[in-house]
Amino acid sequence: IEKYEACVRDFSEAMRAVDPTIKIIACGGFRGQDEGMIQRSANYFDYLSLHHYEQPGGYATGPARLGAQYDQYAEMIANSPNPNVKLFISEWNLQSIDWRTGLFAGGFLNECEARDIVAIGSAALFIRRTDAPDWNHAFINFDYTDVFVAPNYQVTELWYDHFSRYRLDFEGDTKDLSVVTTLSENGREVIVKVVNTTEKPYRLTVNGDWKGIASTEYEYFAPGSLDVQNSMEKKDAVALKMFTPSFTEEQVVLEVAPLSAGVLTIVKKF
């Protein structure tokens, strides 16, 4: 760690001397030594890079554990000489290609979206030839004739299509569901991202400080089993579904399927 910190300081000073506007990323994950590095060297970088590859069995519990870890880093950074440092999750994924990787992606992205400390994320492995011997968890899979995407790609794309910087707080018992809420950037929609890693359905009732509801839409993936996966032969084994949840002027009632990840869009009246 001492040698690495010396490199960070030397390179940072040299690069900022040429261009003081650049943003510098330092490597983290030094097994208990990160706090000391942050205390000594946080003024020399803008982002701390972390990696995480979850084992298949951690599709449900992994995201919450990572969220707790990011909270610890947030506390370390807040008490450091440079409280403006953010986290860059520069490699993340679940080591699987079936629906578990979609559930993990939704839960992980919810943990990141709910925290100001996480500024950037980059999944890996992004693309893989299907006859490669290792790392079979890529977002995009190809051979010399065709291509298919995996559930981690599909869920990330759905989350991206409904991303907003404007986080909303919420209160209430979400039970076993992973939930994050945002306001669309045009201010017209409330976006509720929901992941259910259990094998039981849930009813989620959403009330808000609005003048009424104009419409609702729920887009989600729920293939019915953890083992379902896309392939060249069946590219849409995990397929996007859609329905209109019931609503009144005051609230929306969402029926959340088992083993599902989806986005509820509530269009407000003005």
Side-chain angles (χ1 to χ4, degrees):
I1 190 71
E2 290 80 8
K3 291 180 180 179
Y4 177 67
E5 278 189 72
C7 289
V8 170
R9 290 169 178 263
D10 290 345
F11 275 85
S12 175
E13 288 179 338
M15 291 189 290
R16 284 176 170 168
V18 175
D19 182 357
T21 69
I22 63 171
K23 300 298 182 182
I24 294 174
I25 303 167
C27 292
F30 283 97
R31 297 186 181 180
Q33 300 184 73
D34 281 358
E35 185 169 12
M37 183 179 75
I38 291 168
Q39 287 297 324
R40 293 185 296 265
S41 301
N43 282 325
Y44 292 85
F45 55 87
D46 303 285
Y47 299 95
L48 188 68
S49 166
L50 299 178
H51 295 178
H52 184 78
Y53 293 96
E54 185 68 38
Q55 294 299 317
Y59 69 92
T61 58
R65 283 190 283 103
L66 288 172
Q69 181 189 69
Y70 301 156
D71 289 340
Q72 293 174 350
Y73 275 92
E75 186 175 354
M76 294 180 211
I77 290 168
N79 295 322
S80 79
N82 183 6
N84 296 316
V85 169
K86 300 294 185 183
L87 295 181
F88 170 27
I89 314 306
S90 49
E91 293 185 31
W92 67 267
N93 213 333
L94 182 90
Q95 293 181 329
S96 171
I97 199 172
D98 57 26
W99 176 232
R100 289 174 295 182
T101 199
L103 291 171
F104 176 80
F108 168 79
L109 292 171
N110 275 2
E111 296 291 338
C112 292
E113 200 166 309
R115 287 169 171 79
D116 184 59
I117 191 65
V118 180
I120 315 175
S122 177
L125 193 62
F126 186 65
I127 189 166
R128 174 184 181 271
R129 186 176 165 116
T130 54
D131 60 358
D134 298 309
W135 291 70
N136 189 15
H137 56 248
F139 274 38
I140 300 171
N141 301 270
F142 73 99
D143 62 17
Y144 65 94
T145 62
D146 211 345
V147 63
F148 73 91
V149 297
N152 44 16
Y153 179 105
Q154 294 170 290
V155 172
T156 300
E157 182 179 43
L158 180 62
W159 258 235
Y160 174 81
D161 288 343
H162 295 84
F163 177 74
S164 172
R165 295 168 292 170
Y166 304 128
R167 295 195 303 271
L168 293 175
D169 197 7
F170 66 88
E171 60 184 20
D173 183 9
T174 57
K175 302 187 185 298
D176 296 320
L177 302 177
S178 168
V179 177
V180 69
T181 52
T182 53
L183 181 69
S184 64
E185 298 196 6
N186 63 14
R188 299 186 61 85
E189 302 166 349
V190 172
I191 303 162
V192 185
K193 298 185 173 83
V194 184
V195 181
N196 180 9
T197 59
T198 76
E199 296 190 3
K200 56 185 177 181
Y202 277 101
R203 174 172 291 174
L204 185 66
T205 302
V206 184
N207 297 283
D209 183 17
W210 42 55
K211 297 179 180 179
I213 298 172
S215 64
T216 63
E217 182 178 74
Y218 187 56
E219 301 169 83
Y220 70 106
F221 297 98
S225 169
L226 296 174
D227 301 325
V228 178
Q229 64 183 62
N230 297 328
S231 65
M232 293 295 188
E233 295 72 31
K234 192 169 184 180
K235 299 179 182 180
D236 59 350
V238 178
L240 187 65
K241 304 176 183 180
M242 188 181 305
F243 72 87
T244 300
S246 61
F247 65 93
T248 65
E249 286 289 307
E250 293 80 25
Q251 69 178 23
V252 180
V253 178
L254 177 65
E255 304 294 342
V256 183
L259 302 175
S260 66
V263 179
L264 169 65
T265 302
I266 303 169
V267 180
K268 300 184 297 177
K269 286 183 177 179
F270 287 87

